[in-house]
Amino acid sequence: MKIFYLRNIYLSSLFLLFVFLTVGCKKAATTATTVTIPTVVTTATIIDVTSTSAQSGGVITDLGDASLSANGVVYSSVNSTPTLTDSKTSDPVVTNQFSFPPFVSNLTNLTPNTVYYIRAYATNPAGTGYGSVVKFTTSSSLTAITATVTTFAGNGSAGYVDGAGLSAQFNNPEGVSVDSKGNVYVSDTYNSIIRAITPAGVVSTIAGMPPLGYTDGPAATAQFYAPGGSAFDSQGNLYVADYGNNVIRKITPAGIVSTYAGNGTPGYRNGAATSASLTGTTDTLAYFNNPQAVAVDAAGNVYVADRGNNVIRKILPTGRVITLAGTKTPGYVDATNEFASFSSPSGVAVDASGNVYVADEGNAAIRKINPSEVVTTIAGGATQPGLLNLPAGITIDKAGNLYIVDEGGRIFEYTTANVLYNLAGTLNKSGLVNGVGTSALFSNPQGIAIDASGNLYVADQYNSCIRKITITVTN
């Protein structure tokens, strides 16, 4: 009996050990980590391309549950899908499993006037993951674009004086536009008036009178309240985002000021542009909230950066206001129509194909709304933090190149080839200094416009003047 009892204990112990080991093995198996190839996104924007250098980079969105051994970009002028066997950069390895800051790669020793293919990569024990391919072309000379900055009107002292060039005075101008004859129109914000500057630099007041107010009628007696961005239509009418009055104003070539949309009450509602548009309809009156900028397309549609409502509005020629994209709650979402979101949009431009571009200031991004109302980010934003600071204004040339003014003190060009150039100014360095490229300084620049010859005009707000940028392109 004693032997039988010990045998039972022994068998029971073996059974328990077997169960323990089996359960332990299963638990270990279920908690084992499977390493996968990392996921990486190539930075879409190429920065400051010259004949021999450029800047790119990427963002790693998934490490693949393992430590990286390398990350950077691969590039080639021959292989349209470059790999590690081609030229590559080796950037500081991303290590944080929960935060993936973008990495920046400096490409050097490139060949002038050559097409390059580039994509980001990241390597872990499972292999190498690649982002999508981005293409760019180096210039034929060391510096592709030269921007020369001068002071066109104003002298750095805030005031209200009409006159020639530097003898004139402005008070914190924010908006600027150019007509077909090369005259520059300025929203002189703190003076609450609209000024004009001839190509020869002579400044005059064309609409409004201090103090601020809200009065339609002849230009000389009309009143504005902190006017912002402006834009012309094909008939020579000037549309102004009257920020403080929460309306869009229209100034005819004959100098008559009227309210084009809104009624002075801040709010967010689509409907008839003005009370006159309500006649014979069951519509309601549209409201805006601190509209910052406007743009006009060839069909006469007026686009509004409705800053206080965080949306982009569209005023149809029929006299109705709709929401083109965005929702009242600030956010950062690329999507369609009202499923997208913006944060304090401050600038707007439209191209010949009906694409609308937005300086999304609160998100430090440039967004694009295509004719199907799909919103995408083309520069800056979450995948390129730090690329832009506070983009405040935007304009577009006939070729489709964008020009961006950044409150941090820089003026950019974003070309149709997705290349971003810092034309002038230095980030977070203020001053009233003329010169070439980054040696020139601005102080909280806001609006930007381009004339038929490709000259840029900038509303240099804190310097209370209008700057002119002449661009020379070397191919």
Side-chain angles (χ1 to χ4, degrees):
M1 296 293 295
K2 185 176 181 180
I3 295 174
F4 178 76
Y5 176 75
L6 289 174
R7 186 178 65 181
N8 283 346
I9 293 175
Y10 177 71
L11 291 174
S12 297
S13 299
L14 286 176
F15 175 77
L16 291 173
L17 180 61
F18 172 77
V19 170
F20 175 77
L21 291 174
T22 302
V23 172
C25 288
K26 287 182 178 179
K27 185 175 181 181
T30 58
T31 58
T33 299
T34 301
V35 176
T36 58
I37 293 175
T39 305
V40 61
V41 177
T42 308
T43 300
T45 302
I46 307 297
I47 303 172
D48 290 337
V49 176
T50 70
S51 61
T52 59
S53 65
Q55 190 178 91
S56 181
V59 177
I60 297 164
T61 58
D62 189 344
L63 298 183
D65 287 322
S67 297
L68 299 184
S69 57
N71 58 244
V73 297
V74 292
Y75 56 100
S76 173
S77 61
V78 179
N79 184 4
S80 60
T81 53
T83 66
L84 291 176
T85 59
D86 297 297
S87 299
K88 68 178 185 295
T89 66
S90 296
D91 298 303
V93 175
V94 174
T95 58
N96 194 328
Q97 290 277 356
F98 305 102
S99 175
F100 305 117
F103 56 85
V104 177
S105 296
N106 293 305
L107 283 65
T108 58
N109 298 318
L110 304 179
T111 302
N113 199 27
T114 302
V115 175
Y116 280 90
Y117 303 90
I118 185 171
R119 57 178 176 166
Y121 76 90
T123 303
N124 70 8
T128 299
Y130 295 97
S132 58
V133 176
V134 175
K135 183 174 69 171
F136 71 95
T137 304
T138 54
S139 63
S140 58
S141 64
L142 185 62
T143 303
I145 297 178
T146 301
T148 303
V149 180
T150 57
T151 299
F152 187 54
N155 55 24
S157 297
Y160 177 25
V161 177
D162 285 336
L166 302 184
S167 66
Q169 287 185 323
F170 301 85
N171 194 350
N172 285 262
E174 291 190 17
V176 63
S177 57
V178 183
D179 69 9
S180 59
K181 297 178 181 179
N183 298 297
V184 178
Y185 290 76
V186 179
S187 293
D188 194 358
T189 305
Y190 282 23
N191 282 324
S192 288
I193 55 177
I194 308 300
R195 318 281 289 278
I197 313 173
T198 68
V202 178
V203 179
S204 62
T205 300
I206 62 119
M209 54 178 286
L212 59 86
Y214 181 23
T215 304
D216 287 335
T221 57
Q223 288 181 303
F224 298 82
Y225 182 0
S230 62
F232 281 93
D233 67 11
S234 59
Q235 307 301 313
N237 298 298
L238 181 64
Y239 298 85
V240 180
D242 196 354
Y243 183 90
N245 283 321
N246 302 294
V247 295
I248 306 303
R249 312 290 286 278
K250 177 182 176 180
I251 307 173
T252 68
I256 302 301
V257 179
S258 63
T259 298
Y260 189 67
N263 69 347
T265 302
Y268 178 37
R269 189 169 70 189
N270 290 322
T274 63
S275 56
S277 308
L278 289 171
T279 305
T281 73
T282 58
D283 215 343
T284 54
L285 192 62
Y287 292 164
F288 297 86
N289 188 2
N290 293 146
Q292 182 77 42
V294 293
V296 186
D297 67 15
N301 297 294
V302 178
Y303 301 89
V304 181
D306 194 0
R307 182 186 179 98
N309 284 322
N310 300 294
V311 296
I312 306 304
R313 314 286 287 280
K314 182 178 181 179
I315 309 172
L316 306 174
T318 56
R320 194 169 193 280
V321 179
I322 63 174
T323 296
L324 180 67
T327 182
K328 192 173 186 299
T329 303
Y332 180 38
V333 178
D334 283 339
T336 302
N337 194 263
E338 295 185 24
F339 292 100
S341 59
F342 301 85
S343 180
S344 299
S346 57
V348 64
V350 59
D351 68 15
S353 300
N355 297 295
V356 177
Y357 299 89
V358 179
D360 191 5
E361 186 170 20
N363 286 317
I366 302 300
R367 317 284 289 281
K368 177 182 177 180
I369 310 171
N370 71 13
S372 298
E373 301 179 358
V374 177
V375 179
T376 56
T377 299
I378 64 170
T383 60
Q384 297 174 294
L387 183 65
L388 303 172
N389 185 32
L390 293 169
I394 188 169
T395 192
I396 190 169
D397 66 16
K398 290 180 288 187
N401 301 298
L402 298 173
Y403 299 87
I404 304 154
V405 60
D406 189 304
E407 280 189 6
R410 297 173 295 180
I411 312 300
F412 294 103
E413 178 183 2
Y414 183 86
T415 72
T416 54
N418 302 321
V419 176
L420 185 73
Y421 291 100
N422 186 170
L423 293 178
T426 300
L427 180 61
N428 296 329
K429 189 174 181 181
S430 299
L432 178 51
V433 178
N434 294 321
V436 177
T438 56
S439 66
L441 296 179
F442 303 82
S443 186
N444 203 53
Q446 293 292 311
I448 187 167
I450 190 166
D451 67 15
S453 300
N455 299 301
L456 295 172
Y457 299 89
V458 176
D460 194 0
Q461 185 182 23
Y462 290 173
N463 282 324
S464 289
C465 63
I466 305 303
R467 314 289 288 280
K468 180 178 180 180
I469 304 175
T470 303
I471 298 174
T472 302
V473 179
T474 305
N475 295 319

